[in-house]
Amino acid sequence: MRNPNQPAPSSTTASFAGLKRWVDAVLYSSAWLSAAAVGLMWATFLFWRADVPPRLAIMIFTATLFLYNIDSVLPYKYGQRLVLSERKLWMIHHRRELFLLALGSLAIAGVLFWLDGWQHLLGFLGHLTAISLLYSLPVIRIGGRWRALRDFPLLKVFLIAYVWAAVTVWIPAFYLNKPLLSPVVLVLFSRRFLFILALAFVFDIRDYTKDRLTGTRTFPGVFGVRATKVVALVALVLSNFLIPQGAAFQHVFMLSLPTLLAGSIIWFADETRPDYYFALLADGVLLAQFFAVYLAS
């Protein structure tokens, strides 16, 4: 019961609190990130002047939602010595909902995978799923300790970049019957890989203390935060200079805008930044790239 001597919250305060609850749910449930995955895949279709199939977009959205949410509810994570951020506390308080969301997303993605005849790509999609699941699931025993793929020194950012580039470039190439080893596909893949790699370093910076506590050796932990930023910016610049054949000038110009935005986010990244800096801005750059391609098209 509210203290009668305590002033009632204003409608503005209540509206802000309600808005924040919705924003937290979208960001911390990985819905925002899943939309970014669809946006990047859509950008690839736009480059080839093709429409993204709605059911494929839903399959990628729900598959991403499943993988990130099942990762966030893994039991072993709740026994780690962690610095609990607002994001992590939200996930702990909504662990059951995230698990149910993961199961529902898996069901939708599985049905679409089967109905739309993707079985011939089971091996390709299976290896991406395996990497995503084994990324955080400790199933390899080394030196008396169970380890996940992310525990191997300096590996985690490259795994993230590979899976995201494969999903958002190779899957459209498969759908449009374009050879994966053709020059234009290789350039698009390399460009996307380096762009995601640059942003993945930002999240290593965010997790600097947590990774040190859990013994995960990442670039910031081994080389320092400033050196990591330099490496990330180099990857970002290289991605911007990889121009696929047939790209129009306005396409290249518009893509330079999210690159500049990503560069500023990398440069000012710090683990003391609020969670929204990473969940809203750093992930939002991925959607900014989609909108840049959409406007250029």
Side-chain angles (χ1 to χ4, degrees):
M1 181 180 296
R2 185 176 62 85
N3 188 333
N5 296 321
Q6 182 181 357
S10 66
S11 59
T12 302
T13 302
S15 298
F16 178 79
L19 176 62
K20 187 178 186 304
R21 283 195 297 271
W22 278 104
V23 173
D24 287 350
V26 170
L27 295 180
Y28 301 151
S29 69
S30 297
W32 179 249
L33 189 60
S34 300
V38 174
L40 286 180
M41 184 185 69
W42 193 348
T44 305
F45 275 98
L46 287 174
F47 173 78
W48 281 316
R49 296 175 176 84
D51 295 326
V52 62
R55 286 162 64 126
L56 175 58
I58 294 172
M59 187 179 80
I60 295 302
F61 179 86
T62 53
T64 306
L65 205 58
F66 161 70
L67 289 169
Y68 275 88
N69 280 304
I70 204 66
D71 174 82
S72 68
V73 299
L74 290 175
Y76 85 97
K77 286 192 169 185
Y78 293 86
Q80 293 177 335
R81 294 161 45 222
L82 298 177
V83 178
L84 294 180
S85 63
E86 179 183 340
R87 176 181 65 93
K88 183 60 69 174
L89 287 172
W90 188 94
M91 289 180 174
I92 291 174
H93 294 152
H94 297 85
R95 187 179 178 188
R96 180 176 179 272
E97 291 86 348
L98 292 177
F99 180 68
L100 293 175
L101 179 60
L103 292 183
S105 300
L106 176 62
I108 295 172
V111 168
L112 291 175
F113 173 85
W114 183 263
L115 292 179
D116 291 350
W118 288 92
Q119 292 89 334
H120 65 289
L121 292 180
L122 182 61
F124 170 76
L125 296 175
H127 97 279
L128 295 178
T129 303
I131 291 174
S132 301
L133 291 174
L134 297 178
Y135 173 79
S136 291
L137 195 62
V139 295
I140 305 172
R141 187 175 180 85
I142 300 177
R145 178 187 170 190
W146 290 99
R147 298 179 182 271
L149 290 178
R150 61 170 290 151
D151 294 324
F152 288 85
L154 312 180
L155 184 60
K156 55 185 285 193
V157 288
F158 296 101
L159 294 174
I160 293 170
Y162 171 73
V163 171
W164 273 75
V167 169
T168 61
V169 175
W170 280 347
I171 288 181
F174 274 124
Y175 188 88
L176 298 173
N177 296 315
K178 296 185 179 293
L180 299 191
L181 298 181
S182 63
V184 66
V185 174
L186 287 176
V187 171
L188 279 173
F189 178 87
S190 300
R191 181 186 179 99
R192 188 67 49 77
F193 176 89
L194 289 170
F195 187 80
I196 298 295
L197 180 67
L199 289 172
F201 284 119
V202 171
F203 294 93
D204 269 1
I205 294 171
R206 179 197 68 183
D207 296 336
Y208 175 73
T209 298
K210 185 202 77 170
D211 286 334
R212 293 191 67 182
L213 289 174
T214 57
T216 303
R217 300 184 66 191
T218 61
F219 274 83
V222 175
F223 302 109
V225 171
R226 182 172 292 272
T228 300
K229 290 181 179 181
V230 171
V231 174
L233 290 173
V234 169
L236 191 64
V237 170
L238 289 176
S239 75
N240 201 53
F241 280 104
L242 287 173
I243 301 174
Q245 184 179 8
F249 170 77
Q250 69 267 22
H251 186 101
V252 176
F253 173 76
M254 290 298 293
L255 278 177
S256 67
L257 301 180
T259 299
L260 291 173
L261 178 59
S264 64
I265 290 173
I266 291 168
W267 184 252
F268 292 106
D270 187 89
E271 66 173 336
T272 61
R273 297 281 183 190
D275 286 308
Y276 278 13
Y277 183 89
F278 302 97
L280 183 61
L281 296 182
D283 287 340
V285 173
L286 304 177
L287 279 171
Q289 190 175 69
F290 156 70
F291 285 116
V293 175
Y294 184 83
L295 293 174
S297 303

